[in-house]
Coordinates of all heavy atoms in Angstrom, one line a residue:
L69 N -10.7 35.6 10.5 CA -12.0 35.7 11.2 C -13.1 34.6 10.5 O -14.3 34.6 10.8 CB -12.6 37.1 11.0 CG -11.9 38.1 11.8 CD1 -12.5 39.5 11.6 CD2 -11.8 37.7 13.3
E70 N -12.6 33.7 9.8 CA -13.4 32.8 9.1 C -14.3 32.0 10.0 O -15.5 31.9 9.9 CB -12.7 31.9 8.1 CG -13.6 31.4 7.0 CD -12.9 30.4 6.1 OE1 -12.8 29.3 6.4 OE2 -12.4 30.9 5.0
F71 N -13.6 31.4 11.0 CA -14.4 30.6 12.1 C -15.5 31.5 12.7 O -16.6 31.0 12.9 CB -13.5 29.9 13.0 CG -14.3 29.2 14.1 CD1 -15.1 28.1 13.8 CD2 -14.2 29.6 15.4 CE1 -15.9 27.5 14.8 CE2 -14.9 29.0 16.4 CZ -15.7 28.0 16.2
T72 N -15.1 32.7 13.1 CA -16.0 33.6 13.8 C -17.2 33.9 12.9 O -18.4 33.8 13.5 CB -15.3 35.0 14.0 OG1 -14.0 34.8 14.6 CG2 -16.1 35.8 14.9
H73 N -17.1 34.1 11.7 CA -18.3 34.3 10.8 C -19.1 33.1 10.6 O -20.4 33.2 10.7 CB -17.7 34.8 9.4 CG -17.1 36.1 9.4 ND1 -17.4 37.2 10.3 CD2 -15.9 36.7 8.9 CE1 -16.7 38.3 10.2 NE2 -15.8 37.9 9.3
W74 N -18.4 32.0 10.5 CA -19.2 30.7 10.3 C -20.0 30.5 11.6 O -21.2 30.1 11.6 CB -18.1 29.6 10.2 CG -18.7 28.2 10.0 CD1 -19.2 27.6 8.9 CD2 -18.9 27.3 11.2 NE1 -19.6 26.3 9.2 CE2 -19.5 26.2 10.5 CE3 -18.8 27.3 12.5 CZ2 -19.9 25.0 11.2 CZ3 -19.1 26.1 13.2 CH2 -19.7 25.1 12.5
A75 N -19.3 30.7 12.8 CA -19.9 30.4 14.0 C -21.2 31.3 14.2 O -22.2 30.9 14.7 CB -19.0 30.6 15.2
K76 N -21.1 32.5 13.9 CA -22.2 33.6 14.1 C -23.4 33.2 13.3 O -24.5 33.3 13.8 CB -21.7 35.0 13.6 CG -20.8 35.7 14.5 CD -21.6 36.7 15.3 CE -20.7 37.5 16.4 NZ -20.8 36.9 17.7
T77 N -23.1 32.6 12.1 CA -24.3 32.2 11.3 C -24.8 30.7 11.6 O -26.0 30.6 11.5 CB -24.1 32.4 9.8 OG1 -22.9 31.7 9.5 CG2 -23.9 33.8 9.4
R78 N -23.9 29.9 12.0 CA -24.2 28.4 12.2 C -24.5 28.0 13.6 O -25.2 27.1 13.7 CB -23.2 27.6 11.6 CG -22.9 27.8 10.1 CD -24.1 27.2 9.3 NE -24.4 25.9 9.7 CZ -23.8 24.8 9.3 NH1 -22.9 25.0 8.2 NH2 -24.2 23.7 9.7
L79 N -24.0 28.7 14.5 CA -24.1 28.2 15.9 C -25.1 29.2 16.7 O -24.7 29.6 17.9 CB -22.7 28.1 16.6 CG -21.7 27.3 15.9 CD1 -20.3 27.4 16.7 CD2 -22.1 25.9 15.7
T80 N -26.2 29.3 16.1 CA -27.3 30.2 16.7 C -28.0 29.6 17.8 O -28.8 30.2 18.6 CB -28.3 30.7 15.7 OG1 -28.7 29.5 15.0 CG2 -27.6 31.5 14.6
D81 N -27.7 28.2 18.1 CA -28.4 27.6 19.2 C -27.6 27.5 20.5 O -27.8 26.7 21.3 CB -28.7 26.1 18.8 CG -27.3 25.4 18.5 OD1 -26.4 25.9 18.3 OD2 -27.4 24.0 18.7
D82 N -26.4 28.4 20.5 CA -25.6 28.3 21.7 C -25.5 29.6 22.4 O -24.5 30.2 22.3 CB -24.2 27.7 21.2 CG -23.3 27.4 22.3 OD1 -23.7 27.4 23.5 OD2 -22.1 27.3 21.9
P83 N -26.6 30.0 23.0 CA -26.5 31.4 23.6 C -25.5 31.4 24.8 O -25.0 32.5 25.1 CB -28.0 31.5 24.3 CG -28.6 30.1 24.3 CD -27.8 29.4 23.2
D84 N -25.1 30.2 25.3 CA -24.2 30.3 26.5 C -22.8 30.6 26.1 O -21.8 30.7 26.8 CB -24.2 28.9 27.2 CG -25.5 28.7 27.9 OD1 -26.3 29.7 28.2 OD2 -25.8 27.6 28.3
A85 N -22.6 30.6 24.8 CA -21.2 30.8 24.3 C -20.7 32.3 24.5 O -19.5 32.5 24.7 CB -21.1 30.6 22.7
A86 N -21.6 33.2 24.6 CA -21.3 34.6 24.7 C -20.8 34.9 26.1 O -21.3 34.4 27.1 CB -22.5 35.5 24.4
S87 N -19.8 35.8 26.2 CA -19.2 36.2 27.5 C -18.6 37.6 27.3 O -18.4 38.0 26.2 CB -18.2 35.2 28.0 OG -16.9 35.6 27.4
D88 N -18.2 38.3 28.4 CA -17.6 39.6 28.4 C -16.3 39.4 27.6 O -15.7 40.5 27.1 CB -17.3 40.1 29.8 CG -18.6 40.5 30.4 OD1 -19.6 40.5 29.7 OD2 -18.6 40.7 31.7
A89 N -15.7 38.4 27.6 CA -14.3 38.3 27.0 C -14.5 37.6 25.5 O -13.5 37.2 24.9 CB -13.5 37.3 27.7
G90 N -15.7 37.6 25.0 CA -15.8 37.0 23.6 C -16.7 35.8 23.7 O -17.3 35.5 24.6
D91 N -16.8 35.1 22.4 CA -17.6 34.0 22.3 C -16.8 32.7 22.4 O -15.8 32.5 21.6 CB -18.4 34.0 21.0 CG -19.3 35.1 20.9 OD1 -19.8 35.6 21.9 OD2 -19.6 35.7 19.8
F92 N -17.2 31.8 23.3 CA -16.4 30.6 23.5 C -17.3 29.5 23.1 O -18.2 29.1 23.9 CB -16.0 30.6 25.0 CG -14.9 31.5 25.3 CD1 -15.2 32.9 25.4 CD2 -13.6 31.2 25.5 CE1 -14.2 33.8 25.7 CE2 -12.6 32.0 25.8 CZ -12.9 33.4 25.9
Y93 N -17.2 28.9 22.0 CA -18.1 27.9 21.5 C -17.7 26.5 22.0 O -16.7 26.3 22.5 CB -18.2 27.9 19.9 CG -18.7 29.3 19.5 CD1 -18.0 30.3 18.9 CD2 -20.2 29.4 19.4 CE1 -18.5 31.5 18.4 CE2 -20.7 30.5 18.9 CZ -19.9 31.6 18.6 OH -20.5 32.8 18.1
R94 N -18.8 25.5 21.8 CA -18.4 24.2 22.1 C -17.3 23.6 21.3 O -17.3 23.9 20.1 CB -19.6 23.3 21.9 CG -20.9 23.8 22.7 CD -22.1 22.9 22.3 NE -23.3 23.5 22.8 CZ -24.4 23.9 22.0 NH1 -24.3 23.7 20.7 NH2 -25.4 24.4 22.6
R95 N -16.5 22.8 22.0 CA -15.4 22.2 21.2 C -15.9 21.3 20.0 O -15.3 21.3 19.0 CB -14.4 21.3 22.2 CG -13.7 22.2 23.0 CD -12.3 21.6 23.1 NE -12.2 20.4 23.9 CZ -12.1 20.3 25.3 NH1 -12.0 21.4 26.0 NH2 -12.1 19.2 25.8
R96 N -17.0 20.6 20.3 CA -17.4 19.7 19.3 C -18.0 20.4 18.1 O -18.0 20.0 17.0 CB -18.4 18.7 19.8 CG -19.7 19.1 20.1 CD -20.5 17.9 20.5 NE -22.0 18.2 20.8 CZ -22.7 17.2 21.3 NH1 -22.2 16.1 21.7 NH2 -24.0 17.4 21.5
D97 N -18.4 21.6 18.2 CA -18.8 22.5 17.1 C -17.7 23.0 16.2 O -17.8 23.2 15.0 CB -19.7 23.8 17.6 CG -21.0 23.3 18.0 OD1 -21.5 22.2 17.5 OD2 -21.7 24.0 18.8
F98 N -16.5 23.2 16.9 CA -15.3 23.4 16.1 C -15.0 22.2 15.1 O -14.6 22.4 14.0 CB -14.2 23.8 16.9 CG -13.0 24.2 16.1 CD1 -13.0 25.5 15.5 CD2 -11.8 23.5 15.9 CE1 -11.8 25.9 14.8 CE2 -10.8 23.9 15.2 CZ -10.8 25.1 14.6
A99 N -15.3 21.1 15.6 CA -15.1 19.8 14.8 C -16.0 19.8 13.5 O -15.7 19.4 12.5 CB -15.3 18.5 15.6
V100 N -17.3 20.4 13.8 CA -18.3 20.5 12.7 C -17.8 21.4 11.7 O -17.7 21.2 10.4 CB -19.6 21.0 13.2 CG1 -20.6 21.1 12.0 CG2 -20.2 20.0 14.2
Y101 N -17.1 22.6 12.1 CA -16.5 23.5 11.2 C -15.4 22.9 10.4 O -15.3 23.0 9.1 CB -16.0 24.7 12.0 CG -15.0 25.6 11.2 CD1 -15.5 26.5 10.4 CD2 -13.7 25.6 11.5 CE1 -14.7 27.4 9.6 CE2 -12.8 26.5 10.8 CZ -13.3 27.4 9.9 OH -12.4 28.2 9.2
M102 N -14.6 22.1 11.1 CA -13.4 21.5 10.3 C -14.0 20.5 9.3 O -13.5 20.4 8.2 CB -12.5 20.7 11.3 CG -11.7 21.5 12.2 SD -10.6 22.6 11.1 CE -9.4 21.4 10.5
A103 N -15.0 19.7 9.7 CA -15.6 18.8 8.7 C -16.2 19.5 7.5 O -16.0 19.1 6.3 CB -16.8 18.0 9.3
E104 N -16.8 20.8 7.7 CA -17.3 21.5 6.5 C -16.1 22.0 5.7 O -16.2 22.0 4.4 CB -18.1 22.6 7.0 CG -19.5 22.1 7.5 CD -20.4 23.2 7.6 OE1 -20.2 24.3 7.2 OE2 -21.6 22.9 8.2
Q105 N -15.1 22.4 6.3 CA -13.9 22.8 5.6 C -13.4 21.7 4.6 O -13.1 21.9 3.4 CB -12.7 23.2 6.5 CG -13.0 24.5 7.3 CD -13.0 25.6 6.5 OE1 -12.0 25.9 5.8 NE2 -13.9 26.4 6.7
L106 N -13.4 20.5 5.1 CA -12.9 19.4 4.3 C -13.9 19.1 3.2 O -13.5 18.8 2.1 CB -12.7 18.1 5.2 CG -11.4 18.2 6.1 CD1 -11.5 17.3 7.2 CD2 -10.1 18.1 5.3
N107 N -15.2 19.0 3.5 CA -16.2 18.8 2.5 C -16.4 19.8 1.5 O -16.7 19.4 0.3 CB -17.6 18.6 3.3 CG -17.7 17.4 4.1 OD1 -17.0 16.4 3.8 ND2 -18.5 17.4 5.1
H108 N -16.0 20.9 1.7 CA -16.0 22.0 0.7 C -14.9 22.1 -0.2 O -14.9 22.7 -1.2 CB -16.1 23.4 1.4 CG -17.5 23.8 2.0 ND1 -17.7 24.7 2.9 CD2 -18.7 23.2 1.7 CE1 -19.0 24.7 3.2 NE2 -19.6 23.7 2.5
R109 N -14.0 21.2 0.0 CA -12.8 21.0 -0.9 C -12.8 19.6 -1.4 O -12.2 18.7 -0.8 CB -11.6 21.3 -0.2 CG -11.5 22.8 0.2 CD -10.1 23.1 0.9 NE -9.8 24.6 0.7 CZ -9.2 25.2 -0.2 NH1 -8.5 24.5 -1.0 NH2 -9.0 26.4 -0.2
P110 N -13.4 19.4 -2.6 CA -13.4 18.0 -3.1 C -12.1 17.3 -3.2 O -12.0 16.1 -3.0 CB -14.1 18.3 -4.5 CG -14.6 19.5 -4.5 CD -14.0 20.4 -3.4
G111 N -11.0 18.1 -3.5 CA -9.7 17.6 -3.6 C -9.3 16.7 -2.3 O -8.7 15.7 -2.4
T112 N -9.6 17.3 -1.1 CA -9.2 16.6 0.1 C -9.9 15.2 0.3 O -9.4 14.4 1.0 CB -9.6 17.5 1.4 OG1 -11.1 17.6 1.4 CG2 -9.0 18.8 1.3
Q113 N -11.0 15.1 -0.4 CA -11.8 13.8 -0.2 C -11.1 12.7 -0.9 O -11.4 11.5 -0.8 CB -13.2 13.9 -0.8 CG -14.0 15.1 -0.3 CD -14.2 14.9 1.2 OE1 -14.6 13.9 1.6 NE2 -14.0 16.1 1.9
S114 N -10.1 13.0 -1.8 CA -9.5 11.9 -2.5 C -8.3 11.4 -1.8 O -7.7 10.4 -2.2 CB -9.1 12.4 -3.9 OG -8.1 13.5 -3.7
A115 N -8.0 11.9 -0.7 CA -7.0 11.3 0.2 C -7.3 10.0 0.7 O -8.6 9.8 1.0 CB -6.6 12.4 1.4
S116 N -6.5 9.1 0.9 CA -6.8 7.7 1.5 C -6.9 7.8 3.1 O -6.1 8.4 3.6 CB -5.9 6.6 1.0 OG -5.7 6.6 -0.2

Side-chain angles (χ1 to χ4, degrees):
L69 293 182
E70 201 182 86
F71 173 65
T72 314
H73 295 320
W74 179 89
K76 283 261 179 261
T77 52
R78 296 294 307 280
L79 304 180
T80 49
D81 66 336
D82 187 11
D84 292 343
S87 81
D88 292 346
D91 295 332
F92 292 73
Y93 292 103
R94 299 176 192 120
R95 285 220 292 272
R96 72 175 185 194
D97 284 336
F98 187 73
V100 175
Y101 167 75
M102 287 303 288
E104 286 198 9
Q105 292 289 310
L106 291 162
N107 287 337
H108 286 158
R109 289 185 161 261
T112 64
Q113 307 300 313
S114 61
S116 308

